[in-house]
Amino acid sequence: MSRMDHNKARSFFGGRGFYIALVLCLAAIGVAGYFALVQQAKVAEEDKNTPVVRQEPVENIQQPEVKPDPEPVQETLQPEELLPQVCSPLDGTTVTVFSMTELMYDETMADWRTHDGVDIKAEEGDAVKTAADGTVKMVRYDDLMGVTVVIAHADGYETQYSSLQQEPPVEQGKTVKAGDIIGRVGSTAAAEGDVGPHLHFSVSKDGKVVNPSEYVKQ
């Protein structure tokens, strides 16, 4: 550069040229600042319009309460609903009770065993009556329980009358009504000989023995 050109440059930056350059720089800075402010305002407006989703802490979220299913209501059937027109098969004294969960000592057999019915002690020859309407299912002699009559009733019920005298006044297939005489008290049950004259009476439902005292009140 020549000396003249150098002097011209110094004259430009030392005079009005310096101020013009300064104004241009300030203008550029102002324009950049303006656009920056506009961009910030736009971002702020977008943030304002964006819905805020609040995150709950996991431990504070309540789980729906699970309620257990209600237990089914067990209906207790009355004796007359189980065996219509039920009546006691014999007026006497119960000397051996029903026991299928605990063993009982049998004096005759000299051992411990269950007992699937009730033993009703009475006088030899006292009338034994059917407990409910039904049909004579069988008349047989059992080696342990003696002369036995089995009567089938409605809804799968059966009643059994054992330790009767020989030749009961009923036969298989005969229809009987509650209170009809189907035999007489005897001492034919070899397994219960020490009891003396009595009736061994049992009840079953669909082939499963049940407690007679729950259905026939003595």
Side-chain angles (χ1 to χ4, degrees), residues 61-106:
I61 298 177
Q62 295 183 353
Q63 297 297 329
E65 182 180 357
V66 179
K67 296 182 178 180
D69 294 334
E71 295 184 358
V73 178
Q74 298 291 336
E75 296 183 359
T76 302
L77 300 178
Q78 298 301 317
E80 57 270 18
E81 297 178 71
L82 298 166
L83 292 175
Q85 301 178 15
V86 170
C87 69
S88 175
L90 176 66
D91 295 328
T93 303
T94 299
V95 293
T96 310
V97 298
F98 176 86
S99 180
M100 293 300 292
T101 57
E102 295 182 7
L103 297 178
M104 302 178 65
Y105 187 72
D106 188 313

Side-chain angles (χ1 to χ4, degrees), residues 14 18 26 28 46 58 67 73 88-89 110 135 144 148 162 174 189 216:
F18 172 78
L26 292 175
E46 290 178 353
V58 175
K67 296 182 178 180
V73 178
S88 175
T135 302
L144 294 178
T148 298
S162 297
K174 180 179 180 180
V216 179

Side-chain angles (χ1 to χ4, degrees), residues 123-134:
E123 295 295 327
E124 184 88 23
D126 283 355
V128 175
K129 298 169 289 186
T130 182
D133 296 353

Side-chain angles (χ1 to χ4, degrees), residues 191-214:
E192 297 177 345
D194 283 359
V195 179
H198 73 285
L199 167 69
H200 177 92
F201 174 66
S202 62
V203 179
S204 64
K205 173 72 166 71
D206 297 327
K208 182 179 180 180
V209 292
V210 294
N211 191 346
S213 298
E214 295 182 0

